[in-house]
Amino acid sequence: MNIRINQELHKLAESSYKAFNEKLTPTKYEIIGIRMPALKKLAKELAADPQIEFYLKNAEYTTYEHVLLYGLILGQVKDLSPELFFHYFDPLILRFDNWAHVDCLVSFPKLFKKHPDTMLNHFLSLKTHEGEFTKRTFVIFLMVHCMNETHIDATLKHLAEVPQGQYYVDMGIAWALSNGLIKFYNKTLPYLEQKVFTKFVHNKAIQKARESYRVTPEVKEQLNSMKIK
């Protein structure tokens, strides 16, 4: 099945998109240049293949797209229990070496939406993991799946506890905080007032929130006055 998948991937490759993606995505993996809609379509087809479990156990990761495809397939496989999902997804997280792997693959799995509390409890260990993209995985998971009425208090607390100082972690926290300011302003604002985050994260969160059309001019002005000089 790996041979077949390699062939399918190379059929979908575009040299112009490869060059574009190489500029956009710093990664140690080779980029062959496949657009996300094409990868998603292939993942959906493969997820329905009777041999998909064999692939999940024996997958190859020779390119940037191989990592994406594996995660996209996991997000499509039907009747996958959380325990079996973790069995396959946890080792994949350790292969993430760029923002796109994290942001794309944390956003899609249906299990994240169906079992947010189970997923949150499982991923808590990522909060203080030494890896830059493992921590970003936790941050983006919080932003995408736990920035809601039920979880907002815990989400903000967790964000404040993630060790800062790595660029893609800090950018992820700032992005999540900006969403908090947009969706739950009164709950998120105290974290800025108390200067819980580093200057970079604090100011970047304000910048991103002020760029949103969902924030009123009055709130934008207030946020602007709170920037750390």
Side-chain angles (χ1 to χ4, degrees), residues 5 20 49 55 58 66 116 128 131 134 137 160 178 212-214:
I5 287 175
F20 168 78
D49 192 301
Y55 165 72
N58 300 279
H66 277 87
T128 55
T134 46
T137 296
S178 71
S212 173
Y213 67 89
R214 291 179 288 174

Side-chain angles (χ1 to χ4, degrees), residues 175-187:
W175 186 14
L177 284 174
S178 71
N179 274 269
L181 289 167
I182 292 166
K183 298 178 181 179
F184 300 96
Y185 186 72
N186 291 333
K187 286 183 176 290

Side-chain angles (χ1 to χ4, degrees), residues 24-202:
L24 186 67
T25 312
T27 176
K28 68 184 179 187
Y29 295 97
E30 176 192 1
I31 294 176
I32 58 177
I34 303 176
R35 298 179 187 274
M36 186 57 70
L39 267 180
K40 287 184 182 179
K41 182 180 178 185
L42 177 59
K44 187 174 182 179
E45 293 170 358
L46 292 171
D49 192 301
Q51 298 182 45
I52 195 58
E53 188 173 351
F54 176 84
Y55 165 72
L56 292 176
K57 291 178 180 178
N58 300 279
E60 296 177 353
Y61 301 95
T62 56
T63 69
Y64 161 83
E65 286 84 0
H66 277 87
V67 177
L68 282 176
L69 180 65
Y70 190 97
L72 291 172
I73 289 172
L74 274 179
Q76 290 286 342
V77 174
K78 292 183 178 180
D79 303 321
L80 197 64
S81 68
E83 293 73 24
L84 193 54
F85 177 85
F86 295 143
H87 174 74
Y88 291 124
F89 194 71
D90 287 354
L92 186 68
I93 292 173
L94 299 179
R95 296 181 182 275
F96 295 168
D97 79 337
N98 60 84
W99 63 267
H101 279 162
V102 175
D103 297 6
C104 292
L105 298 183
V106 173
S107 299
F108 295 133
K110 297 175 182 178
L111 279 174
F112 287 177
K113 302 181 189 302
K114 291 173 65 175
H115 307 283
D117 293 315
T118 298
M119 297 293 161
L120 176 56
N121 289 334
H122 181 80
F123 290 141
L124 274 177
S125 62
L126 300 180
K127 180 165 62 174
T128 55
H129 193 278
E130 64 181 359
E132 182 171 10
F133 295 101
T134 46
K135 286 196 287 290
R136 184 179 173 97
T137 296
F138 181 69
V139 169
I140 300 303
F141 170 81
L142 288 174
M143 182 184 74
V144 175
H145 302 289
C146 299
M147 194 70 72
N148 52 51
E149 290 283 356
T150 303
H151 300 97
I152 183 59
D153 292 325
T155 292
L156 291 169
K157 182 176 182 293
H158 287 312
L159 288 173
E161 293 170 349
V162 175
Q164 298 165 65
Q166 292 171 302
Y167 178 77
Y168 287 102
V169 177
D170 291 354
M171 286 295 288
I173 296 172
W175 186 14
L177 284 174
S178 71
N179 274 269
L181 289 167
I182 292 166
K183 298 178 181 179
F184 300 96
Y185 186 72
N186 291 333
K187 286 183 176 290
T188 307
L189 187 64
Y191 284 83
L192 297 185
E193 292 174 333
Q194 297 164 25
K195 295 184 171 67
V196 171
F197 299 94
T198 65
K199 177 180 177 180
F200 176 84
V201 171
H202 180 103

Side-chain angles (χ1 to χ4, degrees), residues 210-226:
R210 293 183 73 244
E211 290 171 352
S212 173
Y213 67 89
R214 291 179 288 174
V215 175
T216 66
E218 293 75 18
V219 169
K220 289 182 180 181
E221 190 62 32
Q222 181 184 10
L223 289 174
N224 192 46
S225 71
M226 296 178 66

